[in-house]
Amino acid sequence: MALSAEAGVGSAVQEKEMVGTKQQTWTCIIIGAGPAGLTLARSLALHSSSSSITTSASASPSGEPSQRKILLLERDLSPSGPDRIVGELLQPGGVHALRSLNLQGALEGIGAVKARGYCVVNTAQGKQVAVPYPDGEEGRSFHHGAFVAALRREVARTPGVTLEEATVHSLLECEHTARVLGVSATPRGASSPQSYLADLVIVADGHASKFRHLLPRAAAPLTRSHFVGLVLHDAHLPAEEHGTVVLIPDQGPVLMYGLAPGDTRILIDVRGKLPSSASGALQQHIRTHVLPHLPAGCQAPLEQALKDQRLRSMPNSWLPPSLQATPQAREGVLLIGDAFNMRHPLTGGGMTVAFTDSLLLGQLLSTTALDNWPAVARALHTFHTARKPLAGTINILSLALYDLFGAASPELATLRQACFDYFLLGGECVKGPVSLLSGLAPRPALLFYHFFAVALYAVWGVLTRPSASASTSHKVSHKPHSQEPSQEPEQAQEHAGLTLASLGRVWEVINLLWVACVVFLPLMWGEVRDVGTAWVWGLVE
């Protein structure tokens, strides 16, 4: 379908008028009815009800402002919801965002399990440490499909919001201005695509987005590893209503949490190329390298699950956020959710970021006419910087913690042990990190403090580690004093040995600090590199 229009101010309205009146025009079309798309639709609707904005699609025949008309297009709206092995753990910060959107009802009646924190199990030491959420805060864990289905039912009751089952093929653009005017999609049961027009199109089609090329930096997400998932029946975790992270030497971490009464999700991190499950190689890998290290109450359920269930995998990807609404970007469209920004799922922060992003963006666009692209662009620039405290903290923490817990090098193994020992100290050494992880303390500076506190704690461990010469010096000689030979040559040798050992430790310390910086600082740069640009453009606009 070719669309043309006169360019210039207010061209969005003119462009759609050139198309004709057969297609219904919406205030906003959201591609994807997953967690991000659903909560953003709710936020845009709620925050428009009290505003006095008027757009080409929301004005009544008399010209008076009316409720925004928001259309959610989803390929599959089956009652059971999508079947996925991630997006099943919601941190307390995400629960707060749901409550702010009055969507907490989606957590009821789906068999959700309370999450009160974590238990970290260090199999190399045979120790475990509880990491509870602060101040009695609670998250929730659940079957992803049941939660999304409940969320869709809640959002469908929102005035002005419509859900439709349709497969989106492409964006509709103006021939002259390249502004996005809507989408081409085939409704369920239809034989050919139809055109849907809107003042603004929002892409929320998830981790495998077909429209990610619209981002200014459209690099493919970086896959760090894969999670292999199974459901354990009647497993017993070390701490009730706590997620469990198992640290296994020379392997990636294992994450377990409740899905429903009697059901426990296990996610096994597999680095490198994923072994074949069809040949049994993946099952053998799990039996050999993972199962023996799990808590006793989980080993038999895992063995049974390996026999009864199909192994499912999910790439663990990283996609740093890109500044949108740049001068080179396509007008009339923006991205949100995993289509826009991804982090490692180890910390379960994806939906917390999506829900808080939706809440924030809805607030920023509350008084903005969505067909006024310069105004939308200003809101997006503010959004890019305003989301950083929470989204940046969770993004950096997820990848940094994965690098430590995965321990793919001797230095990272030392940092992993230091992290576990840091948790054992208790007090603020537990409360601070878990407040960051849970989305309750959106403070990147606090994350910087605790990460490098762990690094310095690792340095302290290296410097205070007993040396081999020190341990042998405690051996007591029983010879008479008069028969003892001169100790001066031995003392000289010991001094030389200590000097070499000290130099070795200095080099080890330098390596530790270097690795800590290599892990953390590029992640921080990935989060802040566009903040200055967004701020400057905000001043110019």
Side-chain angles (χ1 to χ4, degrees):
M1 178 179 179
L3 302 179
S4 61
E6 297 293 331
V9 179
S11 62
V13 177
Q14 298 167 6
E15 287 159 351
K16 285 190 283 265
E17 287 176 350
M18 297 289 288
V19 177
T21 59
K22 291 184 179 180
Q23 296 88 358
Q24 181 180 4
T25 299
W26 301 83
T27 312
C28 177
I29 291 174
I30 299 177
I31 304 172
L38 289 164
T39 50
L40 183 55
R42 176 74 159 207
S43 186
L44 289 171
L46 287 182
H47 292 105
S48 72
S49 59
S50 60
S51 66
S52 57
I53 56 176
T54 305
T55 71
S56 60
S58 62
S60 64
S62 63
E64 293 298 320
S66 61
Q67 175 71 48
R68 282 172 171 165
K69 296 185 295 185
I70 300 168
L71 175 64
L72 279 155
L73 295 177
E74 171 60 41
R75 180 179 56 84
D76 184 2
L77 288 176
S78 59
S80 59
D83 185 15
R84 298 184 62 196
I85 64 170
V86 292
E88 300 171 323
L89 180 60
L90 184 61
Q91 298 289 355
V95 175
H96 288 190
L98 274 187
R99 288 176 181 153
S100 297
L101 293 167
N102 198 23
L103 288 173
Q104 66 273 17
L107 296 172
E108 306 299 329
I110 60 172
V113 176
K114 291 181 180 180
R116 302 182 186 274
Y118 286 86
C119 176
V120 184
V121 179
N122 188 335
T123 60
Q125 287 186 308
K127 295 181 179 180
Q128 64 186 49
V129 58
V131 186
Y133 294 136
D135 306 320
E137 291 282 353
E138 295 178 355
R140 291 290 188 277
S141 53
F142 35 69
H143 285 283
H144 178 79
F147 172 67
V148 172
L151 195 59
R152 287 172 178 171
R153 291 191 295 269
E154 291 283 331
V155 172
R157 291 194 286 265
T158 306
V161 175
T162 301
L163 275 72
E164 182 173 338
E165 196 168 47
T167 300
V168 177
H169 306 293
S170 61
L171 303 179
L172 301 178
E173 300 175 1
C174 172
E175 287 181 341
H176 293 269
T177 66
R179 180 189 174 99
V180 173
L181 304 179
V183 302
S184 174
T186 302
R188 181 178 177 85
S191 59
S192 60
Q194 297 181 13
S195 298
Y196 297 80
L197 304 180
D199 297 330
L200 179 67
V201 173
I202 298 177
V203 176
D205 57 346
H207 71 282
S209 174
K210 66 169 70 173
F211 300 105
R212 190 173 284 128
H213 65 276
L214 295 170
L215 290 172
R217 283 187 297 269
L222 175 64
T223 297
R224 309 289 297 270
S225 62
H226 287 80
F227 262 155
V228 177
L230 291 163
V231 177
L232 308 184
H233 300 299
D234 299 321
H236 299 284
L237 297 178
E240 187 178 356
E241 295 182 341
H242 282 63
T244 300
V245 180
V246 183
L247 306 180
I248 302 174
D250 302 320
Q251 299 294 322
V254 175
L255 176 62
M256 295 183 286
Y257 48 85
L259 291 176
D263 288 349
T264 300
R265 169 67 72 194
I266 181 169
L267 294 172
I268 301 166
D269 184 78
V270 180
R271 298 190 293 245
K273 184 178 180 181
L274 199 63
S276 169
S277 60
S279 67
L282 183 54
Q283 290 87 336
Q284 186 58 37
H285 169 84
I286 294 172
R287 287 190 173 99
T288 303
H289 299 290
V290 176
L291 190 149
H293 299 280
L294 295 184
C298 301
Q299 293 185 13
L302 176 56
E303 178 61 41
Q304 192 62 43
L306 287 170
K307 295 176 181 177
D308 299 341
Q309 299 176 31
R310 175 177 62 91
L311 286 173
R312 304 177 60 195
S313 64
M314 185 77 179
N316 296 328
S317 302
W318 173 47
L319 179 69
S322 294
L323 178 61
Q324 302 188 77
T326 63
Q328 300 78 26
R330 207 79 54 88
E331 293 186 4
V333 63
L334 63 94
L335 285 77
I336 197 168
D338 283 353
F340 162 63
N341 178 209
M342 287 190 284
R343 77 277 323 139
H344 200 286
L346 174 65
T347 55
M351 287 193 295
T352 297
V353 172
F355 295 167
T356 53
D357 277 357
S358 295
L359 179 62
L360 174 62
L361 188 55
Q363 293 168 341
L364 292 173
L365 292 173
S366 62
T367 58
T368 300
L370 300 188
D371 60 351
N372 182 350
W373 180 250
V376 172
R378 286 193 294 271
L380 281 175
H381 296 158
T382 302
F383 169 73
H384 189 78
T385 55
R387 71 184 294 268
K388 287 300 177 184
L390 187 136
T393 296
I394 292 179
N395 290 344
I396 296 170
L397 177 61
S398 72
L399 291 152
L401 200 61
Y402 172 73
D403 281 338
L404 264 61
F405 282 1
S409 70
E411 292 81 11
L412 288 171
T414 301
L415 289 168
R416 175 171 72 177
Q417 183 60 51
C419 183
F420 184 81
D421 293 339
Y422 190 75
F423 291 155
L424 288 174
L425 296 175
E428 190 57 34
C429 297
V430 167
K431 183 178 180 180
V434 79
S435 297
L436 294 163
L437 183 148
S438 61
L440 298 173
R443 295 166 56 192
L446 184 64
L447 173 58
F448 183 95
Y449 168 82
H450 282 289
F451 183 86
F452 283 100
V454 168
L456 293 176
Y457 197 55
V459 167
W460 174 254
V462 169
L463 295 178
T464 58
R465 186 175 60 212
S467 63
S469 60
S471 61
T472 58
S473 67
H474 290 291
K475 295 181 180 179
V476 179
S477 173
H478 296 286
K479 292 182 179 181
H481 178 71
S482 59
Q483 297 179 7
E484 290 183 358
S486 172
Q487 300 296 312
E488 291 183 3
E490 293 183 9
Q491 290 174 354
Q493 292 177 1
E494 182 178 343
H495 178 72
L498 287 174
T499 301
L500 291 174
S502 299
L503 289 175
R505 291 192 186 194
V506 169
W507 181 246
E508 189 175 350
V509 164
I510 292 173
N511 273 342
L512 277 176
L513 293 177
W514 170 253
V515 169
C517 291
V518 167
V519 167
F520 191 87
L521 297 183
L523 298 175
M524 177 165 280
W525 172 246
E527 289 294 325
V528 304
R529 57 185 170 180
D530 289 330
V531 170
T533 304
W535 181 74
V536 170
W537 281 349
L539 290 180
V540 171
E541 293 162 347

